[in-house]
Structures are given as C-alpha cells and as structure tokens.
Amino acid sequence: MQRIANLLAIQDGKVLLLRKPRRGWYVAPGGKMESGESIYEAAVREFKEETNVSPINPRLKGVYTVVIKEGENVVDEWMLYTFVADGVEGKPYKENREGTLDWHPLDELHILPMAEGDRDNLLFASSKEGIQYGTFIYTKEFELLDQQFQTSE
Amino acid sequence: MQRIANLLAIQDGKVLLLRKPRRGWYVAPGGKMESGESIYEAAVREFKEETNVSPINPRLKGVYTVVIKEGENVVDEWMLYTFVADGVEGKPYKENREGTLDWHPLDELHILPMAEGDRDNLLFASSKEGIQYGTFIYTKEFELLDQQFQTSE
C-alpha cells in the first residue's frame, strides 16, 4: 500500500503549490514514503526535493485513507499524510521535474483547479485547528464519489 | 501493508491495557484497519470491540513506521497509529478473546512487560504534549534493533 506525505508551507498569507502539467491541477509538494521512513521524515524530504527549501516547524494536520473504486470494486487504496509549515527557509525552485512552483494567496485554495479531496484537505490544513482524519473515495479518473471526516483538537 | 490503530484510555491516573497471554505482554487495545476506514474510525472501532466501552475525546498522539528485519532484509513493514482518550464511558470487559483487560497506574508503563517500542510509544502518548512520529526496527522475535523519533507541537 502506498503512503504519500505532502506539506503545505504557509508564509505571508500565501501557500506554496505545485502545478502539475497533466491536468493543470495544483497540489502541495510531496510524494511517496520510502521503506523505514517516518511520515515526518518523508514529508520533509519530499518537500525539500521538490522545492529546494526547508519547511519551518512542520506538523501533521491530516491523515486520509484514499480509496479508488471502479464500480463496486476497490482497485487501489493508499494513505495520505498532510503536514503544514510556517513558511520556508530560502527561495523555492520556480519549477521542478513535476511541474511549476509558486506562492498563491490562501483564498485561491477555494478556486484553483485540484482534486476535490485535496481542496478539503488543504483548506483544513491551512485554516483550522487540530487534526483531521478521513476517507476520500474516488473513481479512477479522480472524480470524488464520497468523503467522510473526523477531527480532534 | 498493514495499518494498525490502537488507543490508550487514561482515566483517574490509570491506563486501560490488554494483557496478551502468548508473551504476557501488555498493549493498548487496537487492531487492524479495514479497507476504507479512517485511522480515527479504526482506532475507535477496535477499542470498542475489544473493551465494550467508548473512548472520550480520542485524538492522535503518534504515527510510527514499524519495520521487521531479518539480517539486512526488510521482511515486513506496517504503520501504527496511536490515539489517547480522556477515559471511557462505561465499564470495560474484564477479558476478551485477545486477553485480559485492566486499569494500571500510569507509572507501570515503565515496568510492565511489553515490546520496547510500545513502551516509548505509550509513555509519549500518556505524558507528552504534541505528536510523535518515528520508526521502530525489530527482529522477527520483536527484539528492538533501532528507533528514531521526531515530534511536533
């Protein structure tokens, strides 16, 4: 089962997002955990690899079970760990092999094109107290079929 | 990859632990996540199934990568999600199919027989602020070879 860790850096009212060329969707920098890594190590390593800068005070904000369904069948399932940070040390890449990087006003999380589950995830991470837990159910084309959340302080 | 969620209920200075007969080791009630569950849902469901009572105000305290090594080879790897709760509603089972349940003074977490990684995990969960992340590396006989931690507020 895949484990994905991503990290949303928030600095001066802006968030650092990666725009991926395939769909034009925006994501928080991140990627696959490696064997033996903690989720914290994976989030920080992936963020550094994709941005060339270090996140300040990273902390977990969400843990999500992501399920891909084809009809009634579960065809894939993975875990997503979302961290936030109080900005970064240094100046991020403008682009990397995954796409283009830029700072966006926090409000744009409501309107930028992205997977609908990512939107809920990043809005929670950037604006709410506590930790969110949940499940996203998608089609193979990343159409959101269902989502459920729980939170704690 | 397995995903395990457990929950340490703390009430009146005591913690509810399950003693498993095989090794005589103590654990926090918990078990395997099911497909599509969130980690929160899994922790609460497993706790209720094993204790017959509901946890109060459950919240995540630790996320651990557990690696089993045989020599240099990784032979198993799973994720462990540890929650705490402010006690329980109701009176727990005295035993279940997994072992015997009882309340133990918090201090006994230092001395009760248990996997050494579980001890670090449960001591953090019961006595520290914030969230702990980490990796435990064990032999197949659950001898702790290495551990690394990170924390956030």
Side-chain angles (χ1 to χ4, degrees), chain A residues 1 3 35-41 58-60 63 65 67 77 79 81 131 133-135 148 150 152, chain B residues 1 3 33 35-41 58-60 63 65 67 77 79 81 131 133-135 148 150 152:
Chain A
M1 173 173 296
R3 297 163 295 176
S35 175
E37 277 188 319
S38 75
I39 65 168
Y40 181 100
E41 290 171 326
R59 55 203 182 272
L60 184 66
V63 179
T65 305
V67 176
E77 182 165 350
M79 298 303 296
Y81 308 101
I131 294 184
Y133 318 92
T135 302
Q148 291 192 27
Q150 305 89 39
S152 69
Chain B
M1 175 174 293
R3 298 164 293 177
M33 278 175 65
S35 176
E37 277 188 318
S38 74
I39 65 168
Y40 181 101
E41 290 171 327
R59 56 202 181 273
L60 184 65
V63 179
T65 305
V67 176
E77 181 165 350
M79 299 301 298
Y81 308 102
I131 294 185
Y133 318 92
T135 301
Q148 291 192 27
Q150 306 89 40
S152 69

Side-chain angles (χ1 to χ4, degrees), chain A residues 3-9 16-18 20 26-33 38-48 50 55 58-64 66 78-85 114 117-119 121-122 125 136:
Chain A
R3 297 163 295 176
I4 309 290
N6 63 8
L7 192 152
L8 185 68
L16 185 61
L17 297 175
L18 175 69
K20 293 194 161 189
Y26 291 81
V27 299
K32 294 175 190 169
M33 279 175 64
S38 75
I39 65 168
Y40 181 100
E41 290 171 326
V44 171
R45 176 187 54 74
E46 283 284 346
F47 186 85
K48 285 182 178 175
E50 295 204 340
R59 55 203 182 272
L60 184 66
K61 290 295 292 183
V63 179
Y64 303 96
V66 183
W78 66 81
M79 298 303 296
L80 171 63
Y81 308 101
T82 297
F83 288 73
V84 291
M114 62 180 69
D118 284 0
R119 192 182 309 283
N121 169 4
L122 298 180
F136 296 114

Side-chain angles (χ1 to χ4, degrees), chain A residues 9-11 16 47 51 53-56 85-92 103:
Chain A
I10 307 172
Q11 189 167 296
L16 185 61
F47 186 85
T51 66
V53 293
S54 294
I56 297 167
D86 300 328
V88 302
E89 286 171 1
K91 196 172 167 61
W103 294 98

Side-chain angles (χ1 to χ4, degrees), chain A residues 19 23-27 108-109 111-116 119:
Chain A
R19 183 181 182 276
R23 293 186 173 89
W25 286 3
Y26 291 81
V27 299
E108 290 188 8
L109 288 175
I111 55 169
L112 290 171
M114 62 180 69
E116 283 309 306
R119 192 182 309 283

